[in-house]
Amino acid sequence: LAAALWAGGVAALCVAMYVLLRAGRRASARALARAFGGFAAVIVGLLTLSGIAIMGAHVHSLDSLVSTAYGQTLMVKLGLFVMAGSIGLVTTLAVRSSWAPRPLRASWIRAPRLELAVLAATLVPAALLTASAPARESSGPRLQPAATAPAAAKTFATVGDVIMSVVVEPDRPGKNFVTVSAVSTRRPAPGPIMAVALSIGRAGGRPETVPLSPLGSDQWQGVTTLPAGTVTIGTVVRRSGLPAVRATTVRDVAAAGAPAVSRPVQIEGGGVMRRPLEPVLTRIAIVGAVLMMAVLAFVALRARGRIPPLRTRATPRAPGELRPRRVER
């Protein structure tokens, strides 16, 4: 809303000044530009404070500001905003300050047009920001977790026309689920699979049978406790009217299923560039809002005459020094 008031006010000022200057009313056009300066100062102040607060909410850090597309587009918009504000300041100085240089005092006619052109140019980055995702990247050092063991270990074996797979998860020392799948590659199958047996052989011990429960027509599952070290997994598939099909695989549980280290590995440091901007910018916006309200209150009270204008002290003179008198003609 404040941006619309600023751009609309500058556009109306340009039209009104054009009409007054065409009519030869230069003094009226100058007075209009002078009156618009105070209104524009309030609008620019509101835009600055709201922009600081919104920037803290949408841009996480300085690193996000300079390294993301959203941050770079925002910097372009801020640059155009500063340029438009500087042109408005030039116009105000040209119509209000008698000590301004002559080229500056003569620029108050062309400056509002240039300011309006810059404000129109800000529509492009503003539209791009609306269609972009905010740069809310997390701050602090980036952490990369240490390499973890696979969630499951799969082994395959083909014996004759039977393909067998054994899935052990999480494939770590301790309790593990073991899922066995067995299918025939021949169509039609020479015989239905009647049962599947699974045994786990530990180093220095006898193989232990793992009870399996059917999960479907070609899958069976059981639970077993695996120690750290080398284990031998034996699978036996029994079919009606056919000899049993056997397959054996060897796994190193300690190497493939060791628990992952929970401590992360730091690969990039933080620093000032990655500190959150929101706390700092929020404080700046609050302090700026308080100062702006104090200035507006002072100007309003002084306009009503409740605050007398500041008076300078008379310069002390030496005894006998003559004081200049004003001569009226």
Side-chain angles (χ1 to χ4, degrees):
L1 179 60
L5 288 175
W6 185 14
V10 174
L13 176 64
C14 292
V15 173
M17 288 180 59
Y18 176 78
V19 173
L20 292 174
L21 291 174
R22 286 291 298 265
R25 302 172 59 182
R26 186 182 180 90
S28 298
R30 186 182 181 90
L32 181 63
R34 180 185 178 94
F36 180 77
F39 169 79
V42 176
I43 295 300
V44 171
L46 291 176
L47 276 176
T48 302
L49 295 177
S50 61
I52 290 174
I54 294 175
M55 178 178 172
H58 288 182
V59 180
H60 194 280
S61 61
L62 292 177
D63 181 67
S64 301
L65 182 65
V66 300
S67 62
T68 61
Y70 185 93
Q72 294 168 1
T73 307
L74 181 59
M75 286 192 294
V76 174
K77 181 182 177 182
L78 291 177
L80 294 173
F81 173 80
V82 172
M83 185 182 302
S86 302
I87 297 172
L89 179 62
V90 168
T91 305
T92 303
L93 293 177
V95 297
R96 288 178 176 266
S97 301
S98 58
W99 49 266
R102 184 177 297 273
L104 184 62
R105 283 181 288 175
S107 64
W108 66 274
I109 298 177
R110 299 183 301 272
R113 305 172 194 171
L114 181 59
E115 182 179 358
L116 181 61
V118 176
L119 288 175
T122 58
L123 295 177
V124 176
L128 294 177
L129 289 176
T130 305
S132 303
R136 294 170 180 164
E137 187 185 40
S138 60
S139 64
R142 297 178 182 176
L143 300 178
Q144 181 182 15
T148 58
K154 295 183 180 181
T155 56
F156 296 90
T158 301
V159 180
D161 64 310
V162 178
I163 299 178
M164 293 176 286
S165 69
V166 179
V167 180
V168 180
E169 53 185 346
D171 195 29
R172 297 177 181 176
K175 293 288 185 180
N176 285 263
F177 287 97
V178 182
T179 304
V180 181
S181 300
V183 293
S184 175
T185 58
R186 294 175 59 181
R187 294 294 182 269
I193 298 177
M194 305 301 297
V196 173
L198 183 72
S199 61
I200 303 294
R202 299 167 176 83
R206 297 182 58 184
E208 297 181 3
T209 302
V210 179
L212 298 177
S213 300
L215 293 179
S217 59
D218 56 1
Q219 281 191 338
W220 295 261
Q221 189 177 69
V223 179
T224 185
T225 302
L226 296 180
T230 303
V231 297
T232 302
I233 302 176
T235 308
V236 180
V237 178
R238 294 184 173 88
R239 296 184 291 179
S240 176
L242 296 172
V245 178
R246 303 175 184 273
T248 303
T249 58
V250 179
R251 289 199 55 77
D252 189 349
V253 178
V261 180
S262 60
R263 183 178 58 190
V265 180
Q266 180 172 324
I267 62 174
E268 181 178 341
V272 178
M273 293 295 292
R274 301 189 63 82
R275 290 180 182 175
L277 290 177
E278 185 173 6
V280 178
L281 295 182
T282 301
R283 294 188 183 95
I284 294 176
I286 293 175
V287 173
V290 172
L291 292 177
M292 184 176 178
M293 288 188 293
V295 171
L296 292 177
F298 176 81
V299 172
L301 293 175
R302 187 170 182 179
R304 293 183 180 183
R306 297 185 180 182
I307 298 179
L310 299 177
R311 296 181 179 179
T312 57
R313 292 184 179 182
T315 304
R317 300 181 183 274
E321 183 179 356
L322 297 178
R323 296 185 178 181
R325 294 183 179 180
R326 182 177 180 181
V327 179
E328 297 183 358
R329 297 181 180 178

